[in-house]
Structure formats: C-alpha cells, structure tokens
Amino acid sequence: LAHDPRRVDHKRWQLESLFVALSYVLAHHRTDVRNSLDEGTDGGKLHIVDFGSGSGNSVLAIAALLPSHNFTLVEACENDLSIARRRIASAALQNVKVWHGDLADFPETFDLGLATHLCGEGTDLAQAKCIEQGAAFVLTPCCLGMIKHVLEGCSRNRGVSANIRSKLPGEGLRLSYPRSDWLQRQMEPDLYLQLVRLSDCNSGSDASS
C-alpha cells in the first residue's frame, strides 16, 4: 500500500467516508428503539461490531476516534487477528476486543454492525445478523460477483478468506437471491448474476485509461 500513493489516497477517502456515515448513524441512534446513546448496552457505551475485520485496518482507527464506545473485531482468520491484537496493544486501545470465528456464529448482542470488506454474500450475512439483533448497520458491499458461488450451492465464496461461514447452513438459514422479494419476481437468477457482476466494475484511477 505504501508504494502506491494513489491507493493510500483511496484508502484515506474510504475511511473518511465510512467515518462520516458511521457518525451520521450514531447521531440518529438517539431516536432509534434504544431512545438515546445513554441507554446503550453498557451504561451509554454502544457495542459496535466489525464483521470480517481482518487485521483491523479500518475499524481500529475508528475505535481510536470513538473511545466512548466498545468495539469487537469479528474475524475467522487467526493470523489476521494476531496482527490486530498487536495493533490494539501498541495503540493502547481499551475499548476493543476480538472474536475468532465465522460471522454467522457470532453470539453476542450489539448495537451497530460494520462490514467493509466482506465479499459476495458476506455483506448480506452481516446485514441479516444486524436485522436479527435489531441493530443499526453501515455496510459497503464488495465482490458481488462472488454471489454466484452461493447460488451454486457452495458453503462459502470459493477463493475468499474464511471469514463468512465454515459450513453450508440449513435450508431455512440460506440467503435467497435476489434479496428483494420484488426483484425476485422481476428477473431470473442468471440475469441477476449479470447485474451484480457489473456492480464490481470500476473505471480505475485514470479516467483516460
């Protein structure tokens, strides 16, 4: 990352945008079902969970900016969590802990969910977990073309780190695509897959290229 200034800029812009969106949700959380920030899960501290956190590249900076809230990094890759633990200790962050396992198995209650780098169905699983908890969420989908593996009946996205789920869930727990009932009536899965693959495209850094 440090060898490519453009990627550094893009990452900075991404984190700034994420923080703006999160700040907006936190501000409006006062009028949510919990009534106010003073009535969170721990004496006013909200429990914010970052699903598929990796080594904490995104969320640790946010946790440092929001010391009045508690953060949990949820990640299935132990190597990534080892790096995250070292970063947490180095920064002396007292409001951050880690949880090792698939996001679908995360058992704790929380107030707000984040997911910034979960490929394919991962973002949808994080959203489903938030809805199940009645929690707010800030999600940024990526690699939507990976959803094809789910439609093919795979337990996870092939070629993607094991941060989603480790086994094929029961029929009642599988996500259906398109996620919208209305959109399911409008298009067949093959057409939907073409649409989500287009969502993965971008124009790159140089508009002229």
Side-chain angles (χ1 to χ4, degrees):
L1 181 62
H3 297 295
D4 188 342
R6 293 176 302 178
R7 289 192 63 196
V8 172
D9 287 339
H10 291 167
K11 186 64 178 179
R12 182 182 299 112
W13 297 334
Q14 180 190 61
L15 287 175
E16 289 173 351
S17 299
L18 177 62
F19 186 74
V20 168
L22 177 58
S23 298
Y24 178 86
V25 172
L26 287 174
H28 286 73
H29 204 283
R30 297 176 186 275
T31 58
D32 208 334
V33 293
R34 300 184 189 278
N35 296 322
S36 78
L37 290 175
D38 294 331
E39 297 178 8
T41 55
D42 182 18
K45 288 180 178 287
L46 294 182
H47 184 193
I48 301 173
V49 177
D50 186 27
F51 294 106
S53 63
S55 59
N57 284 342
S58 298
V59 74
L60 292 184
I62 293 173
L65 292 170
L66 297 173
S68 62
H69 300 300
N70 293 320
F71 289 78
T72 299
L73 280 61
V74 172
E75 173 60 52
C77 177
E78 179 57 38
N79 287 338
D80 285 348
L81 284 184
S82 294
I83 297 172
R85 291 187 187 99
R86 292 197 297 270
R87 289 175 168 175
I88 293 167
S90 177
L93 294 174
Q94 302 298 315
N95 61 328
V96 183
K97 64 179 182 177
V98 303
W99 187 87
H100 179 224
D102 292 341
L103 75 84
D105 300 326
F106 184 66
E108 300 179 18
T109 58
F110 60 96
D111 301 288
L112 193 149
L114 302 174
T116 58
H117 293 291
L118 281 174
C119 296
E121 72 160 353
T123 304
D124 293 317
L125 285 170
Q127 183 186 51
K129 179 68 74 171
C130 293
I131 292 173
E132 172 190 307
Q133 288 280 328
F137 50 82
V138 177
L139 314 173
T140 55
C142 73
C143 303
L144 296 178
M146 293 288 186
I147 288 172
K148 68 181 180 181
H149 300 318
V150 180
L151 294 178
E152 291 169 355
C154 299
S155 62
R156 64 166 77 254
N157 306 305
R158 287 200 297 269
V160 177
S161 299
N163 60 359
I164 300 174
R165 47 181 163 196
S166 58
K167 57 186 179 299
L168 194 66
E171 190 67 35
L173 297 177
R174 297 187 193 181
L175 298 180
S176 58
Y177 290 94
R179 299 290 293 133
S180 160
D181 291 339
W182 174 84
L183 196 56
Q184 286 184 25
R185 296 192 295 269
Q186 309 305 315
M187 62 175 62
E188 296 296 321
D190 286 346
L191 181 58
Y192 174 72
L193 283 179
Q194 294 180 42
L195 180 64
V196 296
R197 279 197 290 268
L198 287 174
S199 300
D200 287 336
C201 297
N202 61 71
S203 59
S205 300
D206 299 318
S208 60
S209 62

